[in-house]
Amino acid sequence: MDDVDGSAVGVRGLQELTADAVTRAMRAVLPAEFADADPLVRRSDHADFQSNVSLSLAKRAGRKPRELADQLAAELGGPVEVSGPGFLNLTVPDETVWRQVAARVADDRLGVGNSQLGRRTVIDYSAPNIAKEMHVGHLRTTIIGDALARVLDHLGAEVVRQNHLGDWGTQFGMLIEYLRAHPEARWRAADLPEGDTGTTSALDGLYKLARAEFDADPGFADRARRRVVALQSGDEPTLALWRELVGESEKAFQVIYDYLGVLLTPDDSAGESTYNRYLDEVSEEIERAGVGRDSQGALCVFFDDVTGPDGNPVPLIVRKSDGGYGYGTTDLATIRYRIQELKAHRILYVVGAPQALHFRMVFDTARRMGWLTEDVEVVHVAFGNVLGPGGKMFKTRSGGTVRLVELLDEAVAKARAEIESKPHTLLPGELETVARQAGIGAVKYADLSTSRTKDYTFDADRMVSFNGNTGVYLQYAHTRIRSILRKLPEAGAGQVDPSLPLHPAERALALLTDEFAGTLAEVADTLEPHRLCGYLFALAKAFTDFYEACPVLRAESEAVRANRVALCRLTGATLASGLGLLGIETPERM
Ligand code: ARG
């Protein structure tokens, strides 16, 4: 990526600058062949950074590690110590640290570069199923996908959000047939079966009613099957009802997306039906290429390393023996579309871990077809389960699936109670908004802070706590900084005097603020938002230590105060930006 205007790199981090200095010293004291070796500079408990490059290179260079380290240290000049068998303990000069703080605080982007500039990245996330309500199973994909979309976009990627809605399949025959027979049913919860207390939405209700009639009445079941054929052959009145179903469901999904504050809109919808028109073409192409072959009348792709429990190969079915297509075929058409039409450089599928095999087969087939080349990166961004109380599968008391909206309502209600139970300065109108920001933020943070491949337990009480590694703790830390800054209206200029000595707590905080850009780059590479969560938590704790050790309002001089205010502003802005990239709002007060 070209760094035409300097923005791709941003403000270079202290770790990089330190590594550059070690590299310069290496060039001076070692033969040219070692000039490009990694200087192995890492954060350290013994100094700001440590390099063990002398230990790793000594043998090859025919030197004693300790001697080489001494030579490098002499060449480096600045605050450096040689310890143990030849470690270089590197301390960044106070002045350099202050200059770094000044450079970041003066920049809107806090010195974060555009490392993903121009990289077209398709993110497939959320993807609920039409005519069914969003349930707990859709929480993680929606939250993780959204955080990744925000981080990658911030780093300059051209993000294309794709909501792969489940909007096609045989169940639509039943639903449409039911709507035809009961035009009055539509979306009224009043039509729910006897005994249903109305906790189920109208959409789920329609599904249940249709299912019940399908199971009870063979004549209806027959008509429903014929309705599938009519839908597939493009019968207009049937399509009209299908569109109505899709539209109503999308409205219901949008209510949840707005409540959650995720970026998805109807413009991002590209459901399974989008790819219907390519299915014949794709299956013929696969057949012609010899990548798929006939197996009992079906067109199948086989894989060397994919076998069932009986040891027999498990195929990806491209075309069923009755000529029909399924979920797999749709995903083949989808990946081809994303590569050839959307011209993606990177495609992320934020989908639960149980679909790992499906994606392996889809990616492998796409590779064998030549659609997927080295130039395109595809990743199944897999995640674990959300578990219910006691770490068990999440079910309602009656054994049903848990509605997403109920979980969110619960978290918001608990957040509100938690905020109300403490002394606060919120106005009554503000409480509503802040409770929602805190409750939703809590749910998102609990999800994102768990390494995504692990399961976690949905525990609303713990999530909304002001203590511990929670979204509310971080939002609160941010409000504390905002409140300090409100008391210093005159100190907004961001003047930093680099000649002042640096307190250890100031140093620790400043070095952490300097790691923001690197952390974001790591999230972009690994697609692991929990790294950003861990970083922000460490930053908030370092701020607490700093604030205890270094008075800001009552600093010993104007100049000291100005430097500390700059640190407060940088920390506050970093917390706000980082939380924002996780999709978490930052209220001014709570
Ligand atoms: N609708 C699917 C489900 O609920 C998820 C779709 C994921 N994306 C994809 N391209 N297959 O399981």
Side-chain angles (χ1 to χ4, degrees):
M1 250 121 280
D2 277 333
D3 175 22
V4 197
D5 53 6
S7 62
V9 168
V11 173
R12 302 194 68 216
L14 291 170
Q15 181 160 341
E16 282 171 280
L17 296 173
T18 307
D20 286 352
V22 176
T23 295
R24 280 194 300 275
M26 284 159 58
R27 295 207 170 127
V29 307
L30 284 165
E33 56 194 291
F34 298 104
D36 292 327
D38 185 341
L40 299 171
V41 170
R42 307 282 178 263
R43 282 302 301 270
S44 161
D45 294 335
H46 306 290
D48 294 337
F49 300 102
Q50 188 175 70
S51 163
N52 57 8
V53 74
S54 348
L55 296 149
S56 87
L57 291 187
K59 199 163 182 188
R60 270 204 297 142
R63 308 266 184 96
K64 293 207 178 80
R66 178 84 200 192
E67 224 173 80
L68 179 56
D70 284 333
Q71 279 179 334
L72 288 170
E75 189 63 34
L76 276 158
V80 54
E81 246 175 38
V82 177
S83 76
F87 295 111
L88 292 169
N89 291 335
L90 302 143
T91 300
V92 181
D94 293 2
E95 193 184 321
T96 309
V97 176
W98 282 128
R99 286 194 198 286
Q100 195 74 1
V101 168
R104 291 206 185 276
V105 78
D107 179 19
D108 284 350
R109 295 180 51 84
L110 307 170
V112 174
N114 283 300
S115 54
Q116 299 282 316
L117 201 63
R119 196 166 184 201
R120 187 165 306 158
T121 304
V122 169
I123 310 186
D124 178 325
Y125 72 105
S126 197
N129 300 316
I130 296 297
K132 287 195 188 162
E133 212 183 346
M134 285 183 77
H135 56 79
V136 59
H138 298 110
L139 184 66
R140 298 208 76 184
T141 169
T142 306
I143 292 177
I144 296 169
D146 208 60
L148 293 176
R150 287 170 193 267
V151 170
L152 295 172
D153 172 80
H154 189 64
L155 299 181
E158 223 182 284
V159 171
V160 184
R161 295 184 295 274
Q162 294 280 281
N163 196 349
H164 195 79
L165 299 166
D167 63 356
W168 203 252
T170 49
Q171 74 276 23
F172 285 95
M174 174 183 98
L175 291 162
I176 292 168
E177 199 52 39
Y178 190 85
L179 275 184
R180 280 176 51 90
H182 308 270
E184 78 294 349
R186 285 302 189 275
W187 316 106
R188 280 181 292 120
D191 291 293
L192 294 175
E194 201 74 48
D196 195 319
T197 52
T199 51
T200 318
S201 76
L203 273 172
D204 265 353
L206 180 77
Y207 194 94
K208 281 187 187 164
L209 289 166
R211 181 85 232 176
E213 188 147 337
F214 186 91
D215 291 339
D217 177 354
F220 177 81
D222 235 33
R223 289 195 297 281
R225 281 191 204 99
R226 264 177 287 149
R227 190 57 58 193
V228 177
V229 179
L231 179 65
Q232 285 169 343
S233 56
D235 172 59
E236 194 41 53
T238 305
L239 277 176
L241 285 169
W242 171 78
R243 275 189 219 106
E244 190 184 333
L245 273 163
V246 172
E248 286 302 319
S249 292
E250 282 207 83
K251 268 191 235 161
F253 299 154
Q254 196 60 44
V255 170
I256 300 260
Y257 292 153
D258 292 343
Y259 189 12
L260 266 175
V262 296
L263 299 168
L264 288 168
T265 71
D267 285 347
D268 304 314
S269 293
E272 294 175 12
S273 65
T274 315
Y275 306 97
N276 285 346
R277 70 190 108 142
Y278 305 113
L279 299 178
D280 286 335
E281 197 180 306
V282 160
S283 57
E284 279 158 26
E285 211 183 306
I286 290 175
E287 192 165 29
R288 243 183 294 120
V291 170
R293 62 176 166 82
D294 181 90
S295 172
Q296 295 164 24
L299 177 64
C300 295
V301 182
F302 289 92
F303 310 86
D304 293 340
D305 51 350
V306 182
T307 49
D310 53 4
N312 289 327
V314 177
L316 177 65
I317 299 170
V318 178
R319 190 172 51 224
K320 295 182 209 158
S321 54
D322 67 1
Y325 302 115
Y327 185 63
T329 324
T330 301
D331 258 322
L332 288 170
T334 304
I335 196 168
R336 194 186 71 147
Y337 179 84
R338 289 174 180 171
I339 297 168
Q340 297 182 350
E341 306 299 321
L342 297 180
K343 310 239 180 284
H345 302 119
R346 196 181 200 197
I347 312 173
L348 312 180
Y349 293 82
V350 189
V351 185
Q355 292 193 37
L357 182 59
H358 165 75
F359 285 112
R360 233 173 80 202
M361 298 199 287
V362 168
F363 298 168
D364 197 39
T365 304
R367 243 175 238 119
R368 279 151 71 179
M369 285 305 297
W371 304 332
L372 178 56
T373 59
E374 301 269 282
D375 307 334
V376 183
E377 185 194 3
V378 292
V379 187
H380 173 206
V381 184
F383 52 81
N385 292 312
V386 182
L387 303 174
K392 301 208 188 71
M393 282 307 284
F394 215 157
K395 293 276 174 209
T396 58
R397 222 169 289 164
S398 56
T401 43
V402 181
R403 298 171 65 205
L404 191 47
V405 69
E406 274 169 27
L407 286 182
L408 301 180
D409 284 345
E410 183 196 354
V412 170
K414 294 225 155 122
R416 164 207 275 267
E418 187 74 8
I419 294 166
E420 275 185 309
S421 73
K422 299 206 158 48
H424 65 79
T425 50
L426 295 175
L427 309 169
E430 267 182 335
L431 180 61
E432 280 313 305
T433 310
V434 175
R436 184 187 54 75
Q437 292 173 325
I440 297 294
V443 170
K444 288 186 175 182
Y445 189 83
D447 193 301
L448 294 168
S449 59
T450 316
S451 157
R452 70 174 152 71
T453 50
K454 292 204 186 111
D455 297 344
Y456 76 90
T457 299
F458 192 95
D459 178 347
D461 289 310
R462 200 192 63 78
M463 283 177 191
V464 302
S465 167
F466 275 83
N467 304 311
N469 189 5
T470 68
V472 173
Y473 169 79
L474 290 175
Q475 285 171 323
Y476 183 65
H478 174 260
T479 62
R480 276 175 55 218
I481 299 175
R482 297 299 306 157
S483 130
I484 296 163
L485 293 171
R486 274 197 303 274
K487 291 183 188 128
L488 292 162
E490 79 291 357
Q495 293 297 350
V496 174
D497 180 349
S499 72
L500 292 180
L502 192 64
H503 186 283
E506 289 172 332
R507 174 179 293 274
L509 181 60
L511 285 172
L512 259 180
T513 59
D514 196 58
E515 286 178 30
F516 184 47
T519 304
L520 294 181
E522 238 177 68
V523 174
D525 282 347
T526 60
L527 308 168
E528 292 177 343
H530 76 270
R531 293 167 187 259
L532 178 53
C533 297
Y535 166 77
L536 294 172
F537 185 55
L539 183 66
K541 283 195 296 187
F543 183 81
T544 303
D545 295 343
F546 153 80
Y547 198 59
E548 267 167 31
C550 306
V552 178
L553 301 170
R554 274 179 289 279
E556 58 262 38
S557 73
E558 281 297 315
V560 168
R561 176 154 80 191
N563 278 20
R564 288 182 184 164
V565 166
L567 260 179
C568 289
R569 285 181 49 197
L570 179 55
T571 307
T574 304
L575 279 174
S577 172
L579 287 170
L581 293 175
L582 296 172
I584 298 173
E585 292 180 69
T586 40
E588 270 292 300
R589 277 174 272 266
M590 68 195 296

